[in-house]
Amino acid sequence: MKKFAAILLSAAMALSLAACNGSGGTDSGDPAGADSLSVSEEGGNVLIAYFSVPETDGVDTVAGASRVVVDGEVLGNNQYVAQLIGQQVGGTLFRIETVQEYPGSHDLLLEFAYNERAEDARPELSTQVENLGQYDVIFLGYPNWNADLPMPLYTFLEQYDFSGKTIVPFTVHGGSGFSRTIRTIQELQPNATVVEDGLSISRNNVSDAQRDVENWLAGLGL
């Protein structure tokens, strides 16, 4: 974690220099859609954005599902991993949500996602990141749908300019890993630094992912 602390310190210094021409104040407001995790002093320049659609039927919540039960609470897989990252680095959790609702049934969700991709859809987002300029490191989490980013991720990455920022991808998948999604993020955000050593976790292993998350963060070498 020393290496990660170093990048946070460097980013904080850069942000402080940029703020010399501004008000110099610290915005304490959370972005719309933010989870309840508080922003730590050390991780104040970190945004943990994720897209997660927990299925409501079809499979056990412990093995092979798009959801996991933690202390009696049902969480989406990527939501849970995002929270684990937040526990280690601080920062602000932000859930990417859409105006439309996605089907909860596994088969219907697969069909819906396939049709969105075929139509090259750009679903409208219902949550917005406020004060994007305060963030220098963006962890970006998503499921692998049809060997591609979910279409709401295209909306998100086309809506915001992450130039000069560092994007750190993570995904929970059913066996395909990242596919070519990291390259797609690089294409959509050519002026950002996209970390290629992202975290890829099988949906079968999400409930035991804490150690994997800790080891990955410690070895990022940012």
Side-chain angles (χ1 to χ4, degrees):
M1 297 303 292
K2 291 182 178 178
K3 293 179 179 178
F4 193 81
I7 190 175
L8 292 184
L9 179 59
S10 297
M13 292 175 64
L15 192 62
S16 297
L17 290 174
C20 288
N21 294 323
S23 65
T26 300
D27 191 332
S28 60
D30 291 336
D35 281 351
S36 59
L37 183 73
S38 62
V39 180
S40 71
E41 183 177 353
E42 294 81 5
N45 68 324
V46 175
L47 180 69
I48 307 168
Y50 67 92
F51 177 71
S52 191
V53 181
E55 296 169 19
T56 57
D57 68 358
V59 284
D60 192 307
T61 57
V62 176
S66 64
R67 60 195 189 274
V68 62
V69 176
V70 180
D71 297 329
E73 181 182 5
V74 178
L75 304 173
N77 283 342
N78 285 283
Q79 179 183 17
Y80 176 57
V81 175
Q83 290 185 4
L84 292 178
I85 294 171
Q87 290 169 11
Q88 295 296 311
V89 304
T92 300
L93 282 172
F94 175 81
R95 184 166 186 168
I96 301 168
E97 298 186 76
T98 58
V99 172
Q100 69 185 23
E101 292 187 11
Y102 283 85
S105 169
H106 179 74
D107 291 340
L108 290 178
L109 179 59
L110 286 179
E111 181 180 3
F112 195 98
Y114 177 84
N115 290 335
E116 273 196 338
R117 184 172 183 266
E119 296 167 1
D120 198 27
R122 295 295 187 272
E124 182 181 354
L125 304 184
S126 62
T127 53
Q128 306 296 324
V129 178
E130 296 180 1
N131 303 309
L132 180 63
Q134 71 178 304
Y135 302 110
D136 299 294
V137 179
I138 292 89
F139 286 88
L140 185 62
Y142 51 88
N144 182 330
W145 282 0
N146 302 300
D148 198 355
L149 293 171
M151 301 316 293
L153 265 292
Y154 280 88
T155 306
F156 182 77
L157 290 167
E158 290 172 356
Q159 182 170 317
Y160 297 101
D161 182 4
F162 296 113
S163 295
K165 302 181 187 296
T166 298
I167 301 174
V168 189
F170 64 95
T171 187
V172 177
H173 60 89
S176 299
F178 278 109
S179 297
R180 72 177 305 278
T181 58
I182 292 181
R183 186 180 305 173
T184 299
I185 295 171
Q186 292 172 329
E187 293 169 354
L188 293 171
Q189 293 289 335
N191 296 317
T193 299
V194 181
V195 173
E196 297 187 359
D197 185 18
L199 176 64
S200 171
I201 296 180
S202 168
R203 64 187 183 187
N204 297 322
N205 301 326
V206 173
S207 59
D208 299 318
Q210 182 168 349
R211 182 60 62 85
D212 291 334
V213 170
E214 293 173 353
N215 291 339
W216 171 63
L217 290 171
L220 273 178
L222 291 174

